[in-house]
Amino acid sequence: MAISETSTMKEGKERYKSGVIPYKKMGYWEPDYDIKETDVLAMFRLTPQKGVEPDECAAAVAGESSTATWTVVWTDRLTACEMYRAKAYRVDLVPNTGPGTDNEAQYFAYIAYDIDLFEGGSIANLTASIIGNVFGMKAVKALRLEDMRIPVAYLKTFQGPATGVIVERERMDKFGRPLLGATTKPKLGLSGRNYGRVVYEALKGGLDFMKDDENINSQPFMHWRDRFLYCMDAVNKASAATGEVKGHYMNVTAGTMEEMYERAEFAKSLGSVIIMIDLVIGYTAIQSMAKWARANDMILHLHRAGNSTYSRQKNHGMSFRVICKWMRMAGVDHIHAGTVVGKLEGDPLMIRGYYDTLLDTKTEMQLEKGIFFDQEWASLNKCMPVASGGIHAGQMHQLIHYLGEDVVLQFGGGTIGHPDGIQAGAVANRTALEVMIQARNEGRDIWNEGPQILADAAKWCSPLKAGLDTWKDITFNYESTDSPDFVPTATASV
């Protein structure tokens, strides 16, 4: 349902007369706007307050995220104000909301921003406008940023992933399959030596990576330098024992940029191929570490710690697909992006949309995946999605079906919680992965045959059998809170 046009007052005496006029009349609502290739486009889900028309609400979001304030200011006339005004150009009723449904009316509002409103190469500046004060406006009952289209001209001002999927595979010498990893457990409380032992056992058993978790930094029970030393000793010994390239994500997250650089430099001096940061360090710090990683030939892993405080709810905050876009622009090589079958939030189609956003050279509009715009990626490197949280070897066929092979599958509890020990847990995961990839390459239907493929492999791999017996009935079948608004429907051929 499109909202009809109303008159505006872009120029003239009445437009700049002191006082308050609706945002629509100030020029922030323009349903006939001709979108430029260089425009930054944003699509918001908005819930207007009672008595506020949806097009006025959209115009208010456009205004307050660009040049407007609550009252008319004559100083607009000292600027190229018509160019700098964001334009709300389309408002649609969200399916299954509003009259005739049990849900309050919500609207998809499309807004165009001139590229000159943003500083090149700065996620901080981009987000200060798009998700700045507008989320606290009283006229808007709830607001969620669903998607953005970043023009090629603006993308070209960003570095993109420091390493990228192709070069990471070359450095790790791993091709044709997902990478395997795990998070050290328990994530807090171990001494440096015991922590390193966990890392060694898992890598020797067949994993490619081990990692720090989001909140292991430098605590009294284990200071960062001790952890780095013991972990790199484990990596080197496991590499020597297996003949494979191994890595451990060294979490360099700290209280200041100076401390993060110090930790990253120490990890580099020890020979680490990968370091890690947390989303909570902020956009500028993430971009700074990405530039360091590019200059120092280091893979950069990003843990999405904190994202669910604003990405999980349907009507307010922002979609994780937007975070995926921003982080690919910012320059990280890995980001946790969901598992579908694990313990964390994840609708299958929405998760696939996140993965497409991270891996495509061009992402096509696919409403069923929550992708509302075509997005050209302007040769930015691909960002490797990471699947972690409540997954185990018995789900291997599902994971490959949903997520493909350009992904890091991280089995933390599914490795370290194995009844026969950590190394046996790693053997179980590596075996499950390799037999499933072989079956896929042979043309077998792994979605339907997967359980039998694993059962057959368990006959000659006792660690896999023990893992399947332990976790065979474990599922996390809860309804997702972030699900698609659009469902593809078949049409009869004529």
Side-chain angles (χ1 to χ4, degrees), residues 8-12 15-16 23-34 36 39 66-67 75-88 112-115 117:
T8 62
M9 298 187 300
K10 295 179 183 179
E11 299 296 338
R15 168 63 179 83
Y16 293 103
Y23 289 94
K24 286 195 303 184
K25 291 191 174 183
M26 287 195 285
Y28 297 103
W29 170 245
E30 195 167 329
D32 296 326
Y33 178 69
D34 187 13
K36 303 191 295 288
D39 283 342
S66 59
T67 63
T75 45
D76 275 347
R77 305 189 72 180
L78 303 178
T79 73
C81 55
E82 174 56 27
M83 181 174 75
Y84 293 146
R85 290 187 191 114
K87 284 87 173 174
Y113 300 83
D114 190 89
I115 193 173
L117 292 171

Side-chain angles (χ1 to χ4, degrees), residues 369-381:
K369 296 179 182 178
I371 298 172
F372 289 83
F373 300 108
D374 290 346
Q375 177 66 63
E376 291 279 1
W377 280 105
S379 300
L380 260 65
N381 285 338

Side-chain angles (χ1 to χ4, degrees), residues 224-483:
W224 69 270
R225 190 179 296 269
D226 292 335
R227 183 174 78 258
F228 284 21
L229 287 166
Y230 280 113
C231 286
M232 279 312 301
D233 183 55
V235 168
N236 292 333
K237 287 179 177 176
S239 294
T242 62
E244 296 183 342
V245 181
K246 305 286 186 181
H248 179 83
Y249 309 173
M250 305 289 195
N251 191 354
V252 302
T253 298
T256 66
M257 284 303 304
E258 291 75 17
E259 290 173 294
M260 286 199 287
Y261 285 136
E262 178 187 6
R263 296 177 191 188
E265 290 287 352
F266 190 65
K268 176 188 173 185
S269 73
L270 295 177
S272 181
V273 297
I274 186 166
I275 60 171
M276 167 184 162
I277 53 177
D278 292 335
L279 180 62
V280 292
I281 67 175
Y283 303 133
T284 298
I286 290 168
Q287 286 193 260
S288 297
M289 292 308 302
K291 288 183 178 296
W292 182 94
R294 170 72 65 88
N296 290 276
D297 295 324
M298 188 73 72
I299 301 168
L300 182 62
H301 175 92
L302 178 72
H303 191 292
R304 59 178 179 174
N307 87 93
S308 289
T309 58
Y310 46 78
S311 69
R312 189 176 181 189
Q313 298 306 314
K314 188 79 169 176
N315 68 335
H316 192 79
M318 62 179 169
S319 168
F320 186 69
R321 82 182 60 85
V322 178
I323 293 292
C324 289
K325 286 190 176 182
W326 292 348
M327 292 303 99
R328 186 171 177 181
M329 293 160 62
V332 303
D333 292 306
H334 289 186
I335 184 171
H336 294 249
T339 66
V340 180
V341 298
K343 69 180 181 180
L344 302 179
E345 174 74 19
D347 175 87
L349 286 172
M350 302 302 272
I351 296 296
R352 189 64 251 172
Y354 306 158
Y355 279 57
D356 290 349
T357 297
L358 296 169
L359 293 168
D360 284 347
T361 54
K362 178 182 179 180
T363 307
E364 303 281 355
M365 181 182 72
Q366 299 172 86
L367 298 180
E368 70 273 18
K369 296 179 182 178
I371 298 172
F372 289 83
F373 300 108
D374 290 346
Q375 177 66 63
E376 291 279 1
W377 280 105
S379 300
L380 260 65
N381 285 338
K382 298 178 180 182
C383 180
M384 183 79 87
V386 177
S388 65
I391 59 177
H392 56 81
Q395 301 163 326
M396 192 63 72
H397 56 299
Q398 298 170 303
L399 292 166
I400 294 172
H401 170 82
Y402 283 124
L403 308 179
E405 66 181 36
D406 279 335
V407 60
V408 183
L409 301 177
Q410 291 192 168
F411 302 87
T415 298
I416 299 164
H418 193 281
D420 296 336
I422 299 166
Q423 193 170 149
V427 169
N429 291 321
R430 181 68 174 265
T431 302
L433 175 64
E434 293 195 351
V435 298
M436 204 60 64
I437 290 294
Q438 180 179 349
R440 182 204 65 179
N441 292 348
E442 292 171 349
R444 298 178 65 180
D445 179 3
I446 63 171
W447 177 254
N448 291 308
E449 297 182 53
Q452 188 58 51
I453 293 168
L454 293 173
D456 291 342
K459 294 175 183 177
W460 51 264
C461 179
S462 57
L464 179 56
K465 184 178 187 305
L468 295 178
D469 289 344
T470 300
W471 295 305
K472 60 183 178 183
D473 296 323
I474 301 301
T475 59
F476 299 92
N477 295 326
Y478 301 103
E479 184 178 355
S480 177
T481 60
D482 187 12
S483 55

